[in-house]
Amino acid sequence: KAGVTQTPRYLIKTRGQQVTLSCSPISGHRSVSWYQQTPGQGLQFLFEYFSETQRNKGNFPGRFSGRQFSNSRSEMNVSTLELGDSALYLCASRESLRLSYNVLFFGPGTRLTVL
Amino acid sequence: ELKVEQNPLFLSMQEGKNYTIYCNYSTTSDRLYWYRQDPGKSLESLFVLLSNGAVKQEGRLMASLDTKARLSTLHITAAVHDLSATYFCAVVAGSNYKLTFGKGTLLTVNP
């Protein structure tokens, strides 16, 4: 099976702009999560979607939002970009919500740079 | 709030030596994961530990979990250069699936 794919891989934006990142999960995986990775804060959970519904949300401001489509693909949006939003954004998928021991499979990430 | 602490954060080893990375967490959990990240790459799943006393081994890496002590260890045996990477532990607490990660251990194996 193909792995988790994310587009674009690299983005450069300026402060105040908005950005949309895309993620396609592994075929058959219905849950998609997003994580932010920065050198200072490490890996932090943003949100999880399952069947087009947000199941869980991390401690990020409302400028960070997401959605999931009926084909399980997900998008993440960040509005009014700040310098501190520069990070590697990782998408991850897992098979279902029923199995508590699911492994999260991560995509290659989108490197966002805010100037 | 769940906190996950890894130590050491930086580890420089010689090839052939053994070492252990420690992962402590602050609240009850029965699910702990170890991931590896190579520079500029994504996270690769290494182990899933689900119960007290669980031990998993893959090649030169062995992970264990002590839920009573809230401690997991990742033991490296006879390190080789290919093991150079950053290793993360991550814990799930409660019924949700939010992974809380440690800061990571940057492992460098020198010839």
Side-chain angles (χ1 to χ4, degrees):
Chain A
K1 282 185 182 178
V4 178
T5 58
Q6 292 186 244
T7 56
R9 294 292 311 279
Y10 302 91
L11 264 180
I12 299 176
K13 293 285 188 179
T14 56
R15 280 180 297 175
Q17 287 187 309
Q18 77 164 18
V19 67
T20 299
L21 313 181
S22 182
C23 170
S24 293
I26 291 172
S27 177
H29 286 196
R30 297 173 62 192
S31 165
V32 173
S33 301
W34 289 88
Y35 286 79
Q36 181 196 63
Q37 186 176 26
T38 59
Q41 298 299 316
L43 281 150
Q44 293 185 286
F45 172 79
L46 280 155
F47 24 66
E48 180 183 28
Y49 286 87
F50 181 83
S51 292
E52 302 177 64
T53 301
Q54 188 180 88
R55 307 288 298 195
N56 227 332
K57 190 176 189 306
N59 296 325
F60 279 83
R63 300 184 297 107
F64 291 81
S65 63
R67 59 178 176 168
Q68 187 181 33
F69 302 95
S70 58
N71 61 359
S72 294
R73 193 176 67 84
S74 177
E75 286 182 348
M76 190 192 98
N77 185 275
V78 188
S79 62
T80 320
L81 284 166
E82 300 177 359
L83 295 179
D85 297 334
S86 295
L88 180 66
Y89 290 89
L90 293 164
C91 169
S93 74
R94 63 185 175 116
E95 193 169 340
S96 80
L97 292 183
R98 287 190 300 114
L99 301 175
S100 65
Y101 51 85
N102 278 192
V103 173
L104 266 185
F105 293 90
F106 284 83
T110 294
R111 172 76 61 186
L112 172 64
T113 302
V114 182
L115 302 176
Chain B
E1 181 191 344
L2 172 60
K3 292 191 190 314
V4 180
E5 289 188 2
Q6 278 182 246
N7 69 84
L9 297 182
F10 301 93
L11 179 53
S12 182
M13 298 175 64
Q14 280 190 313
E15 279 191 329
K17 298 291 188 184
N18 304 334
Y19 212 85
T20 301
I21 299 170
Y22 297 88
C23 174
N24 288 92
Y25 52 97
S26 61
T27 63
T28 301
S29 172
D30 58 1
R31 285 173 283 164
L32 190 139
Y33 302 79
W34 284 97
Y35 283 88
R36 167 183 171 146
Q37 186 176 38
D38 291 293
K41 305 283 188 176
S42 189
L43 294 162
E44 174 192 353
S45 175
L46 293 174
F47 301 108
V48 181
L49 302 170
L50 298 175
S51 60
N52 189 42
V55 177
K56 296 276 185 76
Q57 182 160 7
E58 180 74 32
R60 300 173 188 275
L61 300 177
M62 183 173 72
S64 66
L65 178 62
D66 181 344
T67 57
K68 293 177 183 175
R70 298 177 187 165
L71 171 68
S72 179
T73 60
L74 180 66
H75 187 73
I76 303 151
T77 301
V80 293
H81 180 69
D82 286 352
L83 290 179
S84 296
T86 300
Y87 293 85
F88 293 92
C89 65
V91 177
V92 177
S95 58
N96 66 56
Y97 203 81
K98 167 188 165 183
L99 286 181
T100 300
F101 283 85
K103 293 286 189 188
T105 297
L106 175 59
L107 171 66
T108 304
V109 181
N110 303 301

